Amino acid sequence: MTDQATTMNSLPNVDEAQFRPIDEAALFDVPRSAHPPRILMLYGSLRERSYSRLATEEAARILRRFGAEVRIFDPSGLPLPDSTTPDHPKVKELRDLSLWSEGQVWCSPERHGAMTGIMKAQIDWLPLSAGSIRPTQGRTLAVMQVCGGSQSFNAVNQLRVLGRWMRMVTIPNQSSVPKAFNEFDEAGRMRPSPYYDRIVDVMEELMKFTLLLRDRSSYLTDRYSERVESAEALSKRVNQRSI
C-alpha cells in the first residue's frame, strides 16, 4: 500500500483500544433463551371505557397465543413526572416492569393531533439510564394508536421518535384504528376487521423481532463512543486516586 493510500485510509481520531472488529459469533452463535418472550404493554387513557386499553388487551391476547408472557401496566395513580421521587410505588412498578421486559407495546389515543399526556408521562418516567442500567435500551417496541375520528398516524409517529430516543428497536409495522368506538363490542372485544388483522400482523412481527434480537441485545447496543467514555472515566478515577 502506498503512503498516500495509507493516509487516505487512516483513522487518526479513533481510539484503537476501543475500536473493535465486528464479532460475528456474538451475532450468530449466541445461546438461545428458552423462556417465553417478556412483553410490557402501556396504554394512554384512564377512561372507564378506554379504547387504547381495549386495543392493548386485544393485542395481549394475541401475544399470549404466540407464546409471550405479557404484563399490562395500569397508569392509574402514576404521578406526573418530577412531581415526586422515583421510589414512588407506581414509578417503581413501571421501571421494574421495563427492566423485566424484552419487548414493549405502546398504545395511545390521539388527542389534539398527538399522543396523550398519560402516555407521555409513562415514557418520561423511564430514564435513559439508572446508574449503569438502561431500562429500555435494546428492547423491541411496537407502536399503536386509536383514533376518535378518521385514521391518523400522528401518535404512532411520535411514539416512534420516542422509541428511538429511548434506544429501542422499533419494528417497521404499526397499528392505527380509526373511529375506535365502532371497532369494539359491548364486552370490550374487538370486532373482526382489517384493523384487527393489522394488530395481529404487528404482534406477530414484534414476536419475531423480539426472539431474533433479545439474546443479542447487549452486543447490538455496545457502542464505540460509550466504550471510549467509560475508558476515560476509569482513567480519571485511577488518576485521582494516585494524586
Side-chain angles (χ1 to χ4, degrees):
M1 184 179 292
T2 66
D3 291 343
Q4 183 179 4
T6 300
T7 301
M8 289 293 292
N9 292 318
S10 67
L11 298 172
N13 296 330
V14 161
D15 182 339
E16 293 294 344
Q18 304 303 329
F19 188 84
R20 301 169 186 171
I22 301 301
D23 183 356
E24 293 194 12
L27 289 172
F28 303 118
D29 300 330
V30 294
R32 291 185 58 190
S33 298
H35 63 270
R38 300 190 292 259
I39 307 297
L40 168 63
M41 309 189 78
L42 308 180
Y43 60 91
S45 170
L46 299 179
R47 295 172 59 189
E48 182 177 353
R49 186 170 170 84
S50 163
Y51 294 110
S52 63
R53 176 177 56 79
L54 294 179
T56 295
E57 292 173 347
E58 204 67 53
R61 296 183 183 99
I62 297 165
L63 285 169
R64 293 188 183 104
R65 177 63 67 88
F66 279 127
E69 181 181 357
V70 178
R71 298 184 186 178
I72 301 174
F73 177 73
D74 179 359
S76 299
L78 183 71
L80 289 173
D82 301 326
S83 66
T84 186
T85 56
D87 59 358
H88 185 283
K90 288 297 292 189
V91 176
K92 186 177 185 305
E93 178 190 356
L94 175 59
R95 292 187 174 189
D96 287 347
L97 285 172
S98 185
L99 289 172
W100 166 85
S101 71
E102 296 168 324
Q104 298 187 15
V105 179
W106 297 349
C107 180
S108 178
E110 180 173 314
R111 181 169 295 169
H112 302 314
M115 77 181 80
T116 61
I118 293 165
M119 190 77 236
K120 185 63 161 56
Q122 294 174 81
I123 299 168
D124 283 348
W125 270 121
L126 296 175
L128 281 174
S129 63
S132 60
I133 299 173
R134 300 187 185 278
T136 52
Q137 176 166 288
R139 288 156 177 80
T140 52
L141 172 66
V143 294
M144 301 168 53
Q145 75 171 73
V146 293
C147 310
S150 58
Q151 191 172 44
S152 168
F153 300 94
N154 291 322
V156 288
N157 288 339
Q158 292 177 331
L159 291 172
R160 284 188 176 279
V161 171
L162 286 171
R164 183 173 69 247
W165 192 260
M166 302 302 287
R167 299 180 173 181
M168 304 178 79
V169 181
T170 309
I171 67 170
N173 215 336
Q174 62 187 24
S175 168
S176 174
V177 181
K179 297 182 180 179
F181 55 87
N182 286 332
E183 300 302 323
F184 295 86
D185 63 21
E186 293 76 10
R189 296 302 305 268
M190 194 169 183
R191 296 186 172 95
S193 72
Y195 304 120
Y196 176 84
D197 294 345
R198 174 58 69 89
I199 291 179
V200 177
D201 287 348
V202 174
M203 296 306 109
E204 180 181 23
E205 188 171 288
L206 176 66
M207 284 290 289
K208 291 175 181 177
F209 272 80
T210 303
L211 287 167
L212 183 65
L213 299 178
R214 65 178 180 174
D215 297 315
R216 301 163 173 83
S217 176
S218 59
Y219 180 68
L220 288 169
T221 56
D222 180 34
R223 293 176 173 84
Y224 164 78
S225 61
E226 292 180 352
R227 293 196 298 270
V228 170
E229 184 179 13
S230 297
E232 290 176 350
L234 176 61
S235 176
K236 288 179 181 179
R237 286 197 299 272
V238 171
N239 290 334
Q240 285 175 347
R241 289 172 185 168
S242 63
I243 292 175

